[in-house]
Amino acid sequence: MKKITFQLTFLTSVFILLLAAFLTYRTLVDFERDSLSVVHTQRVKDQLANLVRIQTSFSRQLRNVTLSLENVNMDDVEKFNSDIRQNLAVLDSLVSDNHGQQKEVAILARLTDEHLKIVDELVILMSSEFTLTDDIIESISNEESKVGAIVDQADVIRGAENKLLIFRSLKFAESKRWVPIMLLILVGIAVLVLLILFMNTFSLYKSNQIKAQTLAVKLDELLSETKKSKKLQNLLQGIFDGSQHGIIAFQSVRNDDGEIVDFEFSMINEEGGHVLGHTPEYLKGKRMLDIVPGNLESGLFEEYTKVVETSKSYRSIQHYDYDSIESWFDISAVKNGDGFVVTFLDVTESKKYEKEILIKQEELEKTNYELEQFAYIASHDLQEPLRKIRTFGDRLTGLFSAVLDQKGKDYIMRMQNAASRMQTLIDDLLKFSRVSRGETKFSAVDLNLVVNDALYALDLSIKEKNAQININELPEINGNSSQLTQLFQNLISNSLKYSKEDVSPEILITAESIKKEELGQPKDFWKISIIDNGIGFDESYAEQIFIIFQRLHGRSEYSGTGIGLAICEKIVTTHNGYIEAISSPGNGATFIIYLPKENDERKKH
């Protein structure tokens, strides 16, 4: 058993025991209160009976004395008066907690006062008269009547007390019944609590024994791990000293206001010492700005201070030309306690190589630009002579058709066909050139509208082929509307062109969301699929079809210049995506376009 469980069990047991004790105490208090209330009620009845007894006894005595014409003993009258007053006072105090009985006792007290007044009048008459006069007889009658009223009022009070006595007796009996039950429950709970505490203590003792054994095993394991850790520490120290990166640990040096004013070398490996021109032993304990003051001028000191104060790591490739050191360094700093650890690598040779690559890249981009310019200009320059060839060919056919033999007409037709193919080729080259060299502005584009525009442009071909095109709901992306329209127009046109004979083309366009983890990309993509039931192609040519001027079929079989899919690939690349094709001969083709959901580049040059 866990320690906390034992403590909770102990506290719960004590709480239950205290609760039982409290309830038992309350039961005993109620028992005592009920027994006292019964006794109190009996005292009221006894006091009331004593008061009535005194009244009736004195009344009889007074009547006998009066009828016998004897003198009334004034001491007896005074004693009677005193006893009555005293008993009334006691009775009044006994019913002080009962408002109803107080009223009844007040009535009894009034009747008693009237009785005492009658007694006083009778005593006066008897002292002046020596015979039974009518006044004396009337006074005796009044006195007896008043005593009767007092007895009746006493009966009223006694009746109320009898009711109270019955009620309090019942409560007393109930309390008396619960006392042994609560005592028995208290003893039972106490025994149960002691038993639970004993069992928990024994369980805790056994648990502690097991823990002690486990702790001993853990201690042995810890000693073993300590030995391994020592070996690992030695291994890490070897790696630390043998690393090609310079590694230095610094501790902050602060002024009285807590501001960082310098850093102190705490650890440094051999490579770090070699770069700084000192041994690690010499540098340990020295201050940074005493050894490499150029860190202040270069801005590195400020960056290191930020690392310590904000806990944000710092990474930079920086040219350092201070303190007799002139090199490019790849620098990385991370917070370590009230200091930081910096690792740095001399990347001067890499920077030189990178600079050479950049120069070559600029030269390549310049050459590509010049080639694109050449293709664009050349295409434009070819338009004029091509138009003249087609114009003069039309004139020959129209004006000299009658004088030309069949062979001449055939030559002119061949020339016109060649000019038409040349025109198509130039138009496609211009489209390709525009995609390659133009500035692409991105905005929100609804692909549903884009596909509708493409289908509108291909309406005649769709009707001629009796094609069925099904389009699922397509997403909205960030891209260029005109280029995307050309993309879908080329792909749908490709599916229409390479359809099977005597089979109506069926084209399905779908879209689904692809998580970045599935593609190994830094962002999520939309996967747009264009699926047809055409003639298909050998999948070994899946990459070749996107190369400009590459054709899988002869010109006599299918028209085209071999530029359409190259334009598609160029447009998708411009939109930071990629395109691929899946097919097999006779089983149709599927072109899959992957376009990023969030395109960060608003302009693509």
Side-chain angles (χ1 to χ4, degrees):
M1 177 181 290
K2 294 182 179 179
K3 184 177 180 181
I4 183 66
T5 306
F6 176 79
Q7 291 174 342
L8 289 174
T9 304
F10 175 76
L11 292 175
T12 304
S13 302
V14 171
F15 173 76
I16 294 172
L17 183 60
L18 291 175
L19 180 63
F22 174 74
L23 294 175
T24 303
Y25 168 75
R26 291 292 303 170
T27 303
L28 291 172
V29 169
D30 291 344
F31 173 73
E32 182 181 8
R33 184 196 64 220
D34 293 339
S35 63
L36 289 176
S37 66
V38 171
V39 172
H40 179 78
T41 302
Q42 191 60 47
R43 283 187 63 194
V44 172
K45 289 178 65 179
D46 292 344
Q47 191 65 31
L48 187 64
N50 189 46
L51 182 64
V52 171
R53 180 183 59 76
I54 293 172
Q55 295 266 29
T56 54
S57 176
F58 182 77
S59 178
R60 284 194 300 272
Q61 181 182 350
L62 183 62
R63 186 173 62 254
N64 292 334
V65 169
T66 302
L67 293 175
S68 62
L69 298 177
E70 297 177 0
N71 291 325
V72 178
N73 190 339
M74 294 305 296
D75 292 337
D76 292 341
V77 174
E78 290 296 330
K79 185 176 184 305
F80 168 71
N81 200 332
S82 174
D83 290 345
I84 288 297
R85 299 291 181 188
Q86 184 179 358
N87 275 273
L88 273 174
V90 172
L91 182 62
D92 186 63
S93 67
L94 288 175
V95 298
S96 61
D97 61 340
N98 191 327
H99 183 67
Q101 289 292 70
Q102 279 185 323
K103 290 182 179 179
E104 300 298 334
V105 170
I107 295 172
L108 181 64
R110 178 175 56 79
L111 293 173
T112 301
D113 288 340
E114 293 173 356
H115 179 232
L116 291 175
K117 186 176 180 180
I118 293 171
V119 170
D120 289 341
E121 291 175 353
L122 185 59
V123 170
I124 293 171
L125 285 173
M126 289 179 67
S127 61
S128 61
E129 301 288 343
F130 298 99
T131 60
L132 291 174
T133 65
D134 293 337
D135 291 337
I136 292 174
I137 293 172
E138 184 180 354
S139 294
I140 291 173
S141 176
N142 290 338
E143 190 269 341
E144 289 179 347
S145 175
K146 192 60 66 176
V147 169
I150 289 172
V151 171
D152 292 339
Q153 183 63 26
D155 289 339
V156 171
I157 297 172
R158 188 182 295 107
E161 288 298 324
N162 284 335
K163 291 180 180 180
L164 279 175
L165 182 62
I166 293 170
F167 174 73
R168 290 173 176 175
S169 297
L170 290 174
K171 287 190 68 178
F172 172 71
E174 182 70 15
S175 300
K176 185 178 180 181
R177 184 171 64 86
W178 274 105
V179 167
I181 295 174
M182 291 306 299
L183 288 174
L184 184 62
I185 291 174
L186 178 63
V187 172
I189 291 176
V191 172
L192 182 62
V193 168
L194 290 175
L195 181 61
I196 291 172
L197 291 177
F198 172 77
M199 293 176 64
N200 287 344
T201 304
F202 180 76
S203 175
L204 187 61
Y205 169 74
K206 295 295 290 182
S207 176
N208 287 339
Q209 274 192 326
I210 295 172
K211 286 181 179 179
Q213 295 173 355
T214 305
L215 187 61
V217 174
K218 292 291 184 183
L219 183 59
D220 292 339
E221 293 177 354
L222 182 60
L223 292 174
S224 175
E225 289 296 327
T226 302
K227 292 179 181 179
K228 292 179 181 179
S229 178
K230 187 66 176 177
K231 292 180 180 178
L232 183 59
Q233 184 178 356
N234 293 335
L235 176 61
L236 291 175
Q237 186 66 40
I239 295 173
F240 178 75
D241 292 334
S243 174
Q244 293 182 352
H245 289 70
I247 305 174
I248 306 175
F250 288 99
Q251 287 298 314
S252 301
V253 178
R254 299 178 181 270
N255 60 17
D256 294 337
D257 296 329
E259 298 172 341
I260 295 176
V261 295
D262 207 339
F263 294 101
E264 184 179 282
F265 288 87
S266 60
M267 286 185 67
I268 180 169
N269 69 348
E270 293 291 339
E271 180 61 21
H274 174 72
V275 171
L276 299 181
H278 298 285
T279 64
E281 291 76 16
Y282 172 81
L283 290 172
K284 192 171 183 180
K286 298 290 191 302
R287 293 196 173 184
M288 175 193 287
L289 297 182
D290 292 338
I291 303 299
V292 279
N295 275 357
L296 197 59
E297 187 176 350
S298 67
L300 285 173
F301 181 84
E302 181 181 355
E303 296 296 339
Y304 295 153
T305 302
K306 289 180 182 178
V307 169
V308 178
E309 299 291 11
T310 66
S311 300
K312 291 183 179 179
S313 301
Y314 170 73
R315 175 74 186 275
S316 174
I317 296 177
Q318 186 166 340
H319 182 250
Y320 193 88
D321 191 8
Y322 307 93
D323 311 317
S324 302
I325 303 172
E326 200 279 315
S327 292
W328 282 88
F329 290 101
D330 185 349
I331 303 170
S332 177
V334 294
K335 181 178 172 66
N336 178 40
D338 190 30
F340 68 98
V341 175
V342 60
T343 60
F344 51 92
L345 178 65
D346 189 333
V347 293
T348 304
E349 293 300 322
S350 298
K351 291 298 291 184
K352 290 179 181 178
Y353 181 65
E354 181 182 335
K355 187 175 181 180
E356 292 176 1
I357 291 176
L358 288 175
I359 292 172
K360 295 293 185 184
Q361 184 176 346
E362 289 176 0
E363 293 175 353
L364 181 59
E365 289 177 353
K366 183 178 179 181
T367 302
N368 286 338
Y369 180 75
E370 290 173 351
L371 288 172
E372 290 169 1
Q373 287 287 91
F374 172 77
Y376 184 77
I377 294 170
S379 297
H380 273 78
D381 291 345
L382 288 173
Q383 295 277 15
E384 181 59 26
L386 189 59
R387 277 195 297 271
K388 288 183 179 180
I389 292 172
R390 298 185 69 179
T391 299
F392 286 116
D394 290 339
R395 288 181 181 179
L396 284 172
T397 304
L399 297 176
F400 301 99
S401 177
V403 298
L404 289 174
D405 59 9
Q406 189 61 36
K407 193 172 185 180
K409 292 179 181 180
D410 182 58
Y411 286 159
I412 292 174
M413 184 185 69
R414 289 172 181 265
M415 179 186 69
Q416 292 288 69
N417 289 339
S420 179
R421 289 196 303 272
M422 187 67 176
Q423 183 67 53
T424 303
L425 178 60
I426 291 172
D427 289 340
D428 287 347
L429 278 172
L430 284 173
K431 291 178 183 177
F432 186 80
S433 179
R434 290 191 192 100
V435 174
S436 299
R437 65 187 292 275
E439 185 182 82
T440 303
K441 294 182 179 180
F442 285 177
S443 62
V445 177
D446 187 344
L447 293 184
N448 295 287
L449 300 179
V450 164
V451 173
N452 285 337
D453 290 343
L455 293 177
Y456 180 78
L458 297 170
D459 183 63
L460 184 60
S461 297
I462 293 171
K463 290 179 179 178
E464 288 178 353
K465 291 276 189 173
N466 192 28
Q468 182 180 350
I469 301 177
N470 298 311
I471 307 167
N472 291 352
E473 185 67 24
L474 301 179
E476 181 180 280
I477 68 165
N478 192 43
N480 182 275
S481 179
S482 61
Q483 287 191 6
L484 291 170
T485 301
Q486 187 175 358
L487 168 66
F488 282 98
Q489 184 176 330
N490 286 1
L491 290 175
I492 296 171
S493 175
N494 192 75
S495 294
L496 293 172
K497 181 192 300 184
Y498 295 105
S499 60
K500 297 176 182 177
E501 290 185 12
D502 302 325
V503 176
S504 296
E506 293 181 5
I507 302 171
L508 173 63
I509 302 176
T510 65
E512 64 176 303
S513 176
I514 302 295
K515 293 294 184 183
K516 57 187 177 183
E517 294 81 9
E518 298 180 44
L519 299 175
Q521 296 289 336
K523 59 179 69 174
D524 296 339
F525 275 73
W526 286 109
K527 178 183 178 183
I528 315 295
S529 301
I530 296 91
I531 307 165
D532 63 46
N533 62 340
I535 63 173
F537 59 88
D538 190 332
E539 202 165 310
S540 60
Y541 299 108
E543 294 183 6
Q544 180 180 335
I545 60 176
F546 294 109
I547 301 175
I548 190 169
F549 300 129
Q550 292 294 318
R551 297 173 54 89
L552 301 184
H553 304 277
R555 189 174 291 109
S556 60
E557 298 178 85
Y558 297 96
S559 63
T561 60
I563 299 177
L565 291 181
I567 293 175
C568 292
E569 195 272 339
K570 194 69 176 177
I571 291 172
V572 173
T573 302
T574 302
H575 284 73
N576 303 312
Y578 56 97
I579 185 170
E580 61 183 25
I582 302 171
S583 182
S584 62
N587 293 317
T590 299
F591 286 87
I592 302 174
I593 306 165
Y594 293 95
L595 296 174
K597 285 190 174 182
E598 296 180 4
N599 209 329
D600 296 330
E601 297 184 48
R602 298 294 174 181
K603 287 186 177 182
K604 181 76 176 179
H605 296 277

